[in-house]
Amino acid sequence: MNKNTDYVALEKKYVFGTWRQQRSWNPLLIEEAAGCYFTDINGKKYLDFSSQLMCSNLGHKSPKVINTLSKQANKLCYIAPSFATIPAAKLGEKLAAITPGDLQKTFFSLGGAEANEAAIKIARMYTGKTKLISRYRSYHGATSGAISLTGDPRTHYAVGIPGIIRAPDCYCYRCPLGKEYPNCDISCAEYIDEIIKMEGKQNIAGIVVEPIVGSNGILVPPKEYIPRLREICDERELLLIDDEVMTGFGRTGTWFCIEHWNVVPDIMSMAKGLTGAFIPLGATIVKKKIADFFDEEGNLFCHGHTYSTHALCCAVALTAIQEYIDNNLIEHVKQVGVTLGKRLHELKEEHKSIGEVRGKGFFWGVELVKNQTTKEPFVTRSQKFLPNTLKKISAASIEKGVYIVNVINTLIIAPPLIADMEQIDEGIRVLGEVLKIADKECM
Ligand SMILES: Cc1ncc(COP(=O)(O)O)c(C=O)c1O
């Protein structure tokens, strides 16, 4: 037995693999990672073309982050959230500065799901209303409240919270309302207005959306959609809750994705790129009016975790944000992202299995079809956890040294924001090779 099989077998025996059949899980044993690459126990190097779970925005092994970790660990790792710390104070101030509009005050947790749990609770405490609108093709996290917002197949077995209403998706390639943009009058948004009328605005706290849907296929809304949701929220006195867990921190070429449409949400949740995934941290930032509400006598902020406002995590997030700034990464993504999109559209010309290419910045989806005319997908929602063609493509790609995440029927191309053209070309070349697997299965 070599080193590799030992530890994989050990992990399989004692540690759960996430979101999968346990027995068929056959992970690579990874030992090291640096820049845009990670390396397995046998020394084979892989290009990270999806930033792991679309979270390693700064790549791997940042010397500045390592320095912060060691300096802060030598000073103070953890103190109860009832105390103040310099990293938490500075990070709160920094987030208020880089987020749009008057988003001001932050609650810190340890990841995206917790950030959304806080968003749900804050929205309910602030409005005194309980219902929330989310969408079918969405993912907001695995915990009880967040999985209730979620509409994707991972809701399987979830014991959720009551009061969640699902709205139709903004998915122009397969419009759930059978319309075609731009002649649709953004009916998917208008239908949300209808839902509000029927459910009663007096019962609904807010609408929760990923500004570009991530792990349900990189669904980019048309330019009118998010501004229309903002209008509906204002007209009906609901909160707009923006889940930027995957899209935040430069991923789409702006600090936060919602800035593409000049919209300011009432609550924004974040995680992943907040620390560059070097260390866990989640955050829920709210507008001044919500912050002020909790300053009023009697309005208790009734929420918290042992690890809220963790000093070590806050210090790393500050360094990560400084890295985005010092390396001009938002501008880099904006510029190089155009070429990345162009390369992917060129691939579409060459591969009959590509149905649609969509995205922004370093956040792209390649949706595959068996037939470009009928748009028949390779993988349906109910086949997500079964062996399928997209999983075969990701496996072939890793075999060739490039890691590409697949989600239901879409491949996610989301390299670390530090990736240069050479690395992008390397990933695109391998993607082109492995797409031949799907081409052969086309009708
Ligand atoms: C948009 C979105 N929200 C929330 C989450 C949950 O984050 P976490 O896995 O850190 O709990 C994810 C995770 O992928 C996500 O993509």
Side-chain angles (χ1 to χ4, degrees):
M1 252 199 245
N2 68 25
K3 240 156 89 182
N4 194 341
T5 15
D6 271 347
Y7 285 104
V8 168
L10 204 63
E11 179 153 345
K12 279 192 65 161
K13 184 167 179 192
Y14 291 110
V15 182
F16 281 109
T18 58
W19 304 114
R20 64 178 65 250
Q21 303 283 346
Q22 297 299 296
R23 209 180 278 182
S24 58
W25 184 34
N26 191 22
L28 289 170
L29 184 59
I30 304 304
E31 199 174 42
E32 235 189 301
C36 292
Y37 296 87
F38 56 95
T39 311
D40 72 16
I41 194 81
N42 300 313
K44 183 170 170 183
K45 235 171 121 177
Y46 304 87
L47 173 67
D48 188 349
F49 216 33
S50 297
S51 303
Q52 296 308 299
L53 295 179
M54 291 63 80
C55 56
S56 297
N57 286 14
L58 293 166
H60 303 274
K61 205 192 281 182
S62 150
K64 295 247 171 80
V65 168
I66 294 169
N67 187 36
T68 296
L69 273 166
S70 116
K71 262 171 73 185
Q72 185 62 39
N74 270 305
K75 241 187 231 163
L76 174 74
C77 273
Y78 172 78
I79 195 86
S82 53
F83 294 99
T85 67
I86 296 169
K90 283 188 173 173
L91 182 59
E93 184 189 33
K94 182 61 93 181
L95 289 179
I98 63 171
T99 50
D102 65 341
L103 288 166
Q104 182 186 296
K105 195 167 191 175
T106 301
F107 171 77
F108 288 110
S109 52
L110 280 186
E114 283 187 355
N116 283 326
E117 294 294 338
I120 294 170
K121 213 175 190 183
I122 291 170
R124 287 177 167 178
M125 289 190 282
Y126 174 74
T127 62
K129 303 188 274 182
T130 51
K131 290 188 181 180
L132 287 155
I133 297 174
S134 66
R135 297 172 303 181
Y136 287 100
R137 287 178 175 86
S138 66
Y139 184 69
H140 298 286
T143 52
S144 210
I147 203 75
S148 307
L149 294 174
T150 295
D152 85 9
R154 282 172 284 186
T155 49
H156 203 56
Y157 294 129
V159 179
I161 57 166
I164 308 299
I165 309 153
R166 299 252 171 67
D169 300 298
C170 185
Y171 183 15
C172 298
Y173 184 62
R174 300 179 191 278
C175 175
L177 302 174
K179 306 242 172 160
E180 210 165 305
Y181 182 80
N183 299 321
C184 59
D185 294 327
I186 320 297
S187 301
C188 51
E190 296 311 324
Y191 193 78
I192 292 180
D193 201 35
E194 173 70 7
I195 291 175
I196 297 165
K197 283 185 211 146
M198 300 314 288
E199 299 278 344
K201 68 170 193 176
Q202 71 281 6
N203 302 315
I204 307 174
I207 303 175
V208 186
V209 288
E210 296 164 77
I212 292 179
V213 171
S215 52
N216 276 261
I218 316 290
L219 310 180
V220 185
K223 61 182 188 308
E224 299 87 348
Y225 180 79
I226 296 282
R228 181 65 189 126
L229 287 192
R230 178 70 273 178
E231 259 173 31
I232 292 171
C233 286
D234 290 340
E235 284 163 18
R236 309 273 173 216
E237 294 160 358
L238 316 186
L239 300 178
L240 181 61
I241 302 167
D242 175 28
D243 181 345
E244 296 265 0
V245 168
M246 200 177 270
T247 51
F249 296 93
R251 173 57 59 201
T252 68
T254 48
W255 273 106
F256 298 96
C257 184
I258 203 158
E259 292 169 58
H260 287 290
W261 304 287
N262 292 318
V263 167
V264 181
D266 299 293
I267 301 178
M268 182 193 276
S269 52
M270 15 179 166
K272 299 193 188 248
L274 170 59
T275 59
F278 294 110
I279 192 168
L281 189 65
T284 312
I285 191 165
V286 304
K287 270 188 154 175
K288 184 174 181 310
K289 65 177 182 186
I290 301 176
D292 289 348
F293 168 84
F294 287 104
D295 276 341
E296 285 168 28
E297 208 53 46
N299 292 343
L300 184 68
F301 186 82
C302 198
H303 196 58
H305 306 290
T306 300
Y307 296 137
S308 291
T309 329
H310 196 288
L312 190 62
C313 304
C314 290
V316 167
L318 272 170
T319 301
I321 292 170
Q322 204 53 48
E323 283 288 88
Y324 292 114
I325 296 168
D326 292 347
N327 297 307
N328 207 14
L329 288 179
I330 315 289
E331 193 53 37
H332 172 73
V333 170
K334 200 168 163 184
Q335 284 175 17
V336 179
V338 174
T339 315
L340 171 58
K342 196 164 151 264
R343 292 275 197 282
L344 290 168
H345 278 104
E346 283 162 9
L347 277 186
K348 182 170 183 300
E349 300 306 307
E350 295 160 22
H351 295 274
K352 57 183 177 182
S353 59
I354 298 184
E356 191 175 56
V357 167
R358 49 187 179 248
K360 276 186 193 297
F362 277 17
F363 197 47
W364 289 86
V366 178
E367 175 160 0
L368 304 188
V369 287
K370 290 183 182 167
N371 181 313
Q372 287 177 334
T373 312
T374 64
K375 299 185 184 174
E376 186 184 340
F378 277 96
V379 187
T380 60
R381 282 158 68 86
S382 61
Q383 294 165 329
K384 179 178 166 72
F385 296 113
L386 302 174
N388 62 51
T389 304
L390 271 83
K391 288 186 182 173
K392 246 190 323 192
I393 290 172
S394 289
S397 178
I398 199 102
E399 188 65 32
K400 288 175 183 288
V402 176
Y403 167 80
I404 298 175
V405 163
N406 62 83
V407 290
I408 312 180
N409 194 44
T410 301
L411 299 169
I412 299 192
I413 308 303
L417 313 192
I418 56 167
D420 59 21
M421 262 332 291
E422 202 176 310
Q423 286 146 353
I424 284 171
D425 284 340
E426 181 186 347
I428 294 285
R429 182 182 52 75
V430 170
L431 177 61
E433 286 171 21
V434 295
L435 278 170
K436 289 179 192 154
I437 296 171
D439 290 345
K440 278 199 203 121
E441 292 180 21
C442 278
M443 290 184 259

